[in-house]
Amino acid sequence: MSVDSSTGNDTETGIDTGIEYVEDVSPGSGALPPRARYASSDAASLSLNGTWRFRLSPTAEAGSFAREGYDAGGWAEIAVPGHWVLQGHGSPVYTNHRYPFPVDPPRVPTENPTGDHLRVFDLPADWPCGDGDGAVLRFDGVESCARVWLNGTELGTFKGSRLAHEFTVGPLLKATGNVLAVRVHQWSAGSYLEDQDQWWLPGIFRDVTLLHRPADGVRDFFVHASYDHRAGTGTLRVDSDVAGRVTVPELGIDVPAGEPVTVPVRPWSAEVPRLYDGVLATGGERVPLRIGFRTVEVADGLIKVNGRPVLFKGVNRHEWHPERGRALDPETMRADVLLMKRHNINAVRTSHYPPHPAFLDLCDEYGLWVLDECDLETHGFTELGWRDNPVDDDRWRPALLDRAARMVERDKNHPSIVLWSLGNEAGGGRGLTAMAEWIRARDPSRPLHYEGDRDCRDTDVYARMYAGHAEVERIGRHLDGGPLRRRRLPFLLCEYAHAMGNGPGGLADYQRLFASYERLQGGFVWEWIDHGIAHPKLGFAYGGDFGEELHDGNFVCDGLVLPDRRPSPGLVEYKKVLEPVGITGDGTAGAVRVTNGYDAADLSALAFSWSYQVDGEILASGPLPVPALTPGESADVKLPAPPAEAPDGEAHWLIRAALAADTAWAERGHVVAWGQFPVSDRTPPRVPATARLRVSEGVLTLGPGTFDARTGALTAVGAVAVTGLRLDVWRAPTDNDEGAAWQDDPRCAPRWRGLGLHRMRHRLDAVEAGGDALTVRTRVAPAGRELGLSTVYRWTADGDRLRLAVRVVPEGDWTLPLPRLGIRLGLPAARADRVRWFGGGPGEAYPDSKAAAMTGRWESTVAGLQTPYVRPQENGARIDVRWAELGGLRIEGDPLFFLTARRWTTEQLDAATHRTALVPGDTIWVNLDHAQHGLGSQSCGPGPLPHYQLRVEPAEFSFVFAPDPGPRNSEAPGRDGTYCRPVRTIGARTPNLGPGRRPRRG
């Protein structure tokens, strides 16, 4: 046998004989040391993104293809950046923390899908030649292990999927016909370090670039730009491996590299992201610099930036696109940043790896605090009790240090990065300590984070995941115990409020704790986006939809935005909860209190306004003068007198804070914060029982109501047919109802199903007809149980309106909360598409997720009331409804009620696994709920707090039905969607409402 030294292949058989690198615990061979990444310079570069030839093999022992002249004409074509499993070659796999292969580190299966990528390219005509022939080939991200050849010569191998790797290639380049060959293996020793609760998606998924490196060009550099908040000055020093000069014209700076200079500056912060343009110039290259002056420290037990504590209002962000996976384009990254800024988010944890570097550029530019996390997670070893965990095995230390260095060196010059994170859910061990020591020595200017370091031996902040509200309060009060060092450190919830499906609930309760205790410096909701994969039949696919033998279902869909980046109601709620301006008052005192909740900015960028509403209609509005309060400062602001001609009714003040001018991230008028305050109470509907009950041929008539004389069932109100009106306690369980099996608290949905609440039986006990009332007595109970709900429906009417009073009395020993309590009825779909209501809106709301529900008049189509969660579940409830009009009916409630309307039953919603399974029927099913159980975030975090749980207790509530008088002063509804629109009142301005995990979370 003879072996080609340039390829490692048997020249007789073509079989690769050099695959030991796949299972080698080392980070690879041949790559250059990591260095700072910069977006551009005056040196030449050539993008090698585009269409590549591709061949997929079932094992790592694929045939030769790297030699010059190899004929790949019969191969498929594939887009780079991209994942081959999203381009028709193989299938994606989703697991939360379990490895999808046998755990035998560092071994991987023989069945190891291997993608060979081939690209032939010419150098541009103006490519510099003869200038030392310096060039490097840069890969920004390849999963999970790669071997690279250029023009038949092997360059090396590397692991570390979300990390940059460069190779020297200058002497190998030709003017034309350069052949770049890259072999990518799905599984490798590196896979054991990348178990990050996401789709396993092999491929070259980030940019591939050829960079000319001129003689005396920039190699590595480190921008040190601190800020002294006492003196108002910044100190700049740019260390460079090559002698050069640093210029910042706006600041009058022109100094040699390595020399510090102190000048007056404006600091960088997430709220005011002030950047100064500079240049690092060496003998052969000019590199633009974007410099932000800020100082980060842990002092007085707090994380401080520029001398002030910071409250992190953050999200965890996996990189995701529903069609391209983790191969993100600049427009998608910018869209993420703009959505975050518009929803009052100020921080991002790059879970659980360094992001595409362009995302960090955007964070610098628009202003987001960044917790940059290393490409490290070994979560699957929890199944083994962390036995053989690589982070506590010295053989893996070089790989761990390489990953830490490649993160820090690439990203060190971004002012947005204020903390480094060692990784996520990797247990503990000597390797993490070594990483911490290396990072501290290289960059002591940023604190260190790692949630798994419970004693905080290697870290500078105490971090937890999914701690419940009570525990978080104990931590805020320094009553959490633990080592003295930990008790003196600031606290972050690096993951909380699991945003899976409908929810999360309890956000406002967490935020109140953050505001109450200085030690609590906020947190990061899990997570930003649902990782649904676009699918022609399923809408969006999740784990198990590709035939995986091991998967974790829709646990991959747990974001604040849907896969197509539509904001979920959870994101709208989070925006309200995070408002940087507090607006409080009782509505009757003639003034409101305005508090600046920003960390660094005053209120000069905001314009305040007021409006006065009666019964949801705006009667008057105008500007509200508010001083430019500094951070933490409050002022009592006088309101104008209510309009003299205001009619009687339920009145509210609405105060808004909006952008006074266009910004980089939103237009003038974008609402940042709002407050609404009642002025007068609502008058409940009153229906005198003046109508007499009439009987004729098996039909009962009472006012506008028609009933079946035998069963007492309502069949019509006026000309509107009504079907199936009865007590309803079931909802299609949310992901949070289903809960997480590892949680200590009992999960609701399994207990609800076990009790039989999804199949309640209705027994008719009596129909009592006579005089001015119809009374129907029933018992609602699950089969096989002694429990029940004695339910009495009492109907009365005047000439035009029909009143239903419901009394529910529990029977038996109920220990579970109910999903919901109210009535359900069906209306003909042909006349029920338009919905108008006075109450909370525009979006859905539930007991512990209702901060964003603004009281007003709203309208929508029935389709527009639905929230298209990837896995169908309870959704679309509108809260605190006074009255609603749909299907020819006007419905009023006492007390306020939840309104839900959909063109399928709760049972059909419960049975569906994907949105495409829900087929609209001929009936609109309407739920009028007296109460709903809270949401919580028990899909990974805590369940609803006790006061949001729907305990089984005697209850009384009523509804008034009348024929709908038709539209009044309203617009036609917009396109079907998740959100609704306000009814516009003639002659008044409509408010600008603005746009629309766990102990084992990976």
Side-chain angles (χ1 to χ4, degrees):
M1 179 183 73
S2 61
V3 176
D4 182 345
S5 61
S6 69
T7 65
N9 292 324
D10 179 348
T11 57
E12 296 175 0
T13 66
I15 300 299
D16 192 337
T17 60
I19 61 171
E20 294 84 1
Y21 66 92
V22 174
E23 297 182 336
D24 190 344
V25 298
S26 75
S29 62
L32 293 168
R35 65 186 179 107
R37 186 262 190 188
Y38 44 92
S40 64
S41 81
D42 61 353
S45 66
L46 175 65
S47 173
L48 298 179
N49 295 347
T51 301
W52 291 47
R53 290 290 183 176
F54 178 77
R55 176 184 68 183
L56 181 63
S57 302
T59 71
E61 295 179 333
S64 172
F65 76 108
R67 64 180 182 273
E68 293 184 89
Y70 183 86
D71 183 8
W75 288 19
E77 292 185 338
I78 196 171
V80 172
H83 306 279
W84 70 68
V85 294
L86 297 183
Q87 300 184 65
H89 305 276
S91 299
V93 175
Y94 167 63
T95 60
N96 165 24
H97 69 274
R98 296 174 294 177
Y99 291 104
F101 49 80
V103 180
D104 183 21
R107 306 297 303 279
V108 295
T110 300
E111 296 86 359
N112 188 358
T114 294
D116 289 333
H117 300 68
L118 201 63
R119 174 83 151 85
V120 179
F121 66 93
D122 300 332
L123 295 178
D126 59 351
W127 188 266
C129 297
D131 185 17
D133 292 329
V136 298
L137 179 65
R138 183 180 185 91
F139 296 89
D140 279 310
V142 181
E143 182 177 332
S144 73
C145 173
R147 186 177 182 183
V148 187
W149 298 264
L150 180 63
N151 294 329
T153 298
E154 182 171 352
L155 303 180
T157 65
F158 64 91
K159 307 179 188 74
S161 298
R162 270 67 69 175
L163 301 165
H165 296 82
E166 292 181 334
F167 298 90
T168 298
V169 296
L172 301 176
L173 290 173
K174 304 183 297 183
T176 60
N178 293 282
V179 178
L180 176 58
V182 185
R183 172 161 288 167
V184 181
H185 307 283
Q186 177 159 17
W187 311 123
S188 70
S191 300
Y192 285 98
L193 305 180
E194 297 172 2
D195 188 22
Q196 290 140 325
D197 183 18
Q198 58 185 337
W199 293 98
W200 298 85
L201 300 175
I204 305 172
F205 68 95
R206 287 185 185 162
D207 306 288
V208 182
T209 312
L210 183 68
L211 301 169
H212 179 246
R213 305 310 307 132
D216 203 23
V218 174
R219 295 177 189 169
D220 191 20
F221 64 96
F222 198 160
V223 176
H224 304 274
S226 61
Y227 179 71
D228 185 334
H229 64 279
R230 298 176 184 85
T233 57
T235 299
L236 175 67
R237 189 185 82 243
V238 180
D239 295 333
S240 173
D241 287 358
V242 176
R245 295 195 70 81
V246 176
T247 56
V248 186
E250 186 178 355
L251 297 176
I253 293 176
D254 185 350
V255 295
E259 180 177 308
V261 57
T262 300
V263 293
V265 297
R266 293 184 62 195
W268 188 97
S269 71
E271 295 159 3
V272 186
R274 183 62 162 92
L275 293 171
Y276 293 90
D277 291 324
V279 173
L280 170 61
T282 65
E285 188 175 14
R286 292 172 56 85
V287 174
L289 306 176
R290 304 217 73 193
I291 302 165
F293 290 88
R294 91 287 174 273
T295 295
V296 188
E297 60 181 342
V298 174
D300 305 317
L302 299 171
I303 302 169
K304 295 183 178 182
V305 181
N306 303 329
R308 297 187 63 89
V310 171
L311 183 60
F312 293 95
K313 304 173 180 180
V315 291
N316 286 271
R317 175 187 175 269
H318 267 305
E319 296 182 306
W320 188 250
H321 187 281
E323 296 172 348
R324 300 189 297 272
R326 287 188 287 278
L328 295 191
D329 58 279
E331 292 74 21
T332 298
M333 289 183 270
R334 187 179 300 272
D336 279 346
V337 171
L338 293 179
L339 270 175
M340 291 175 189
K341 293 290 290 186
R342 291 168 185 169
H343 287 84
N344 293 331
I345 290 166
N346 72 2
V348 177
R349 178 184 179 216
T350 69
S351 52
H352 298 294
Y353 42 81
H356 190 292
F359 180 77
L360 297 175
D361 292 336
L362 294 168
C363 293
D364 293 343
E365 177 183 354
Y366 290 99
L368 288 168
W369 308 115
V370 175
L371 191 166
D372 198 4
E373 194 147 81
C374 191
D375 190 7
L376 173 62
E377 181 167 336
T378 63
H379 200 171
F381 284 90
T382 188
E383 298 288 327
L384 310 178
W386 295 108
R387 185 177 67 255
D388 299 327
N389 185 9
V391 303
D392 200 28
D393 185 333
D394 290 339
R395 296 176 301 163
W396 296 79
R397 184 174 298 185
L400 300 177
L401 291 173
D402 181 75
R403 288 170 184 254
R406 290 190 182 277
M407 172 184 69
V408 171
E409 300 294 7
R410 191 198 75 168
D411 297 344
K412 58 183 178 257
N413 294 326
H414 288 282
S416 57
I417 297 174
V418 292
L419 293 101
W420 299 117
S421 176
L422 301 179
N424 184 69
E425 290 175 319
R430 300 182 297 273
L432 289 167
T433 299
M435 293 168 67
E437 291 173 348
W438 186 93
I439 293 174
R440 279 204 177 90
R442 178 59 173 150
D443 179 25
S445 71
R446 294 176 173 99
L448 287 184
H449 164 276
Y450 177 63
E451 183 269 343
D453 184 11
R454 290 297 176 87
D455 291 336
C456 299
R457 292 173 300 181
D458 298 322
T459 53
D460 302 305
V461 297
Y462 177 32
R464 288 289 308 281
M465 295 180 181
Y466 306 104
H469 299 81
E471 182 181 1
V472 170
E473 182 167 18
R474 289 195 300 273
I475 293 171
R477 298 173 63 190
H478 296 269
L479 299 177
D480 52 302
L484 178 61
R485 169 176 165 77
R486 190 182 84 182
R487 299 200 306 274
R488 291 176 173 173
L489 293 179
F491 177 77
L492 286 178
L493 270 172
C494 63
E495 294 178 22
Y496 80 112
H498 197 248
M500 185 176 179
N502 190 343
L507 284 169
D509 305 273
Y510 275 116
Q511 205 66 28
R512 280 191 286 270
L513 292 173
F514 299 158
S516 300
Y517 300 99
E518 192 176 43
R519 186 190 185 192
L520 306 180
Q521 294 198 250
F524 301 82
V525 166
W526 187 273
E527 68 153 302
W528 175 241
I529 188 169
D530 285 346
H531 296 200
I533 294 178
H535 192 283
K537 295 181 179 180
L538 302 176
F540 293 107
Y542 48 77
D545 288 335
F546 298 96
E548 307 100 301
E549 64 179 7
L550 189 68
H551 66 85
D552 286 292
N554 69 311
F555 205 62
V556 76
C557 296
D558 45 14
L560 290 168
V561 298
L562 303 176
D564 57 7
R565 283 181 163 74
R566 276 185 288 175
S568 76
L571 180 59
V572 178
E573 176 80 357
Y574 199 33
K575 175 189 177 181
K576 176 61 180 167
V577 166
L578 296 182
E579 287 177 343
V581 181
I583 305 173
T584 57
D586 65 8
T588 61
V592 293
R593 168 155 285 206
V594 177
T595 302
N596 182 352
Y598 283 113
D599 294 321
D602 63 25
L603 299 188
S604 59
L606 301 179
F608 290 76
S609 62
W610 62 268
S611 63
Y612 189 82
Q613 305 173 347
V614 176
D615 290 339
E617 294 189 6
I618 300 172
L619 300 186
S621 61
L624 183 69
V626 174
L629 303 171
T630 60
E633 190 177 7
S634 297
D636 292 321
V637 180
K638 183 175 177 58
L639 294 172
E645 69 281 9
D648 292 336
E650 184 181 357
H652 288 85
W653 288 104
L654 174 64
I655 312 300
R656 294 174 295 139
L659 293 179
D662 291 349
T663 70
W665 50 270
E667 295 180 351
R668 175 181 177 271
H670 168 79
V671 174
V672 172
W674 59 270
Q676 190 174 37
F677 316 104
V679 179
S680 58
D681 294 333
R682 172 199 184 215
T683 301
R686 293 286 182 262
V687 180
T690 58
R692 304 294 293 179
L693 190 66
R694 299 191 302 273
V695 183
S696 175
E697 298 180 351
V699 175
L700 300 175
T701 303
L702 182 63
T706 303
F707 302 82
D708 184 301
R710 183 180 60 85
T711 64
L714 178 69
T715 59
V717 177
V720 180
V722 178
T723 60
L725 188 150
R726 62 186 187 179
L727 190 77
D728 193 14
V729 300
W730 181 245
R731 72 184 187 193
T734 68
D735 290 314
N736 289 308
D737 291 337
E738 296 287 1
W742 54 82
Q743 293 290 43
D744 294 334
D745 295 336
R747 296 175 289 153
C748 282
R751 294 188 296 154
W752 287 342
R753 293 187 193 276
L755 188 59
L757 297 187
H758 61 306
R759 47 177 175 78
M760 299 289 277
R761 306 293 177 87
H762 296 254
R763 187 184 74 202
L764 178 62
D765 288 340
V767 177
E768 301 169 359
D772 59 3
L774 170 64
T775 302
V776 180
R777 302 184 185 276
T778 69
R779 187 174 189 270
V780 183
R785 301 285 181 174
E786 293 181 313
L787 303 176
L789 299 170
S790 173
T791 307
V792 178
Y793 309 93
R794 188 173 190 273
W795 298 91
T796 55
D798 61 13
D800 302 311
R801 296 173 296 168
L802 180 67
R803 181 178 186 267
L804 167 63
V806 182
R807 186 175 75 249
V808 181
V809 177
E811 297 177 349
D813 185 16
W814 287 85
T815 59
L816 292 181
L818 292 175
R820 67 173 358 127
L821 180 66
I823 62 170
R824 178 170 74 170
L825 64 143
L827 300 174
R831 59 184 302 172
D833 188 57
R834 186 184 182 93
V835 184
R836 295 183 294 271
W837 74 97
F838 174 31
E844 75 180 24
Y846 290 82
D848 54 351
S849 182
K850 64 177 184 178
M854 180 186 291
T855 300
R857 293 197 183 195
W858 310 98
E859 65 178 310
S860 173
T861 61
V862 170
L865 294 178
Q866 315 308 308
T867 302
Y869 295 114
V870 174
R871 186 192 73 81
Q873 56 197 273
E874 164 64 30
N875 73 91
R878 268 51 181 184
I879 201 169
D880 293 339
V881 176
R882 283 77 165 161
W883 55 256
E885 296 172 347
L886 75 163
L889 290 184
R890 178 181 174 93
I891 305 168
E892 297 181 75
D894 182 23
L896 308 182
F897 62 96
F898 293 83
L899 169 69
T900 308
R902 53 177 68 102
R903 290 188 65 178
W904 38 77
T905 66
T906 297
E907 291 73 23
Q908 290 168 327
L909 184 64
D910 190 7
T913 58
H914 294 82
R915 287 281 301 178
T916 52
L918 293 170
V919 179
D922 295 331
T923 301
I924 300 292
W925 291 100
V926 181
N927 276 92
L928 309 173
D929 288 321
H930 173 62
Q932 282 247 11
H933 187 64
L935 299 174
S937 62
Q938 202 176 3
S939 53
C940 192
L945 288 167
H947 51 283
Y948 299 125
Q949 297 175 14
L950 179 48
R951 298 299 179 187
V952 183
E953 299 171 340
E956 295 186 11
F957 49 93
S958 66
F959 299 98
V960 176
F961 301 89
D964 181 0
R968 298 176 304 278
N969 294 340
S970 64
E971 296 180 333
R975 294 180 299 171
D976 290 350
T978 303
Y979 301 112
C980 309
R981 62 193 309 168
V983 172
R984 186 183 300 275
T985 302
I986 295 175
R989 288 185 60 187
T990 300
N992 178 358
L993 300 175
R997 122 172 133 152
R998 60 203 141 115
R1000 300 174 64 153
R1001 161 52 76 195

